[in-house]
Amino acid sequence: IRRVEVASGAVTTLAGSGEDGDADGVGDAAEFDGPFGVALSSDASALFVADFCNHKIRRVEVATGAVTTVAGSGAKGSADGMGDAAQFYHPYGVAIS
């Protein structure tokens, strides 16, 4: 997950190792596999990422780069539920309320 500083054009990595995987962690200890849709929390403290190939929704803390899985078991499906009881099939976008 990359950050672009609009004023300067500087690009930095906020989270993710660049390797495919599904590890939660901080900064480059975290892994994604096809991050697609991104939504910013209303207070701009967190990004929510649709992790396409992992079938999960991930949260990235903007201040620290800490990544946690919010929802999705990793198995393909369409089950409603809380946390890892929920299932997604290649989530492409994410919206928060």
Side-chain angles (χ1 to χ4, degrees):
I1 304 299
R2 310 294 302 276
R3 177 190 335 224
V4 179
E5 180 62 43
V6 176
S8 67
V11 178
T12 57
T13 300
L14 178 60
S17 66
E19 299 294 321
D20 291 342
D22 69 349
D24 288 345
V26 178
D28 63 2
E31 297 173 329
F32 297 86
D33 191 359
F36 273 84
V38 176
L40 185 63
S41 66
S42 61
D43 65 0
S45 67
L47 295 172
F48 292 85
V49 180
D51 197 349
F52 187 78
C53 292
N54 283 323
H55 315 290
K56 296 179 178 183
I57 305 301
R58 315 285 293 284
R59 178 186 177 114
V60 181
E61 295 298 326
V62 173
T64 64
V67 177
T68 54
T69 299
V70 175
S73 65
K76 295 176 187 175
S78 61
D80 291 340
M82 299 289 293
D84 63 2
Q87 291 181 324
F88 300 92
Y89 187 80
H90 296 301
Y92 193 78
V94 62
I96 56 175
S97 63

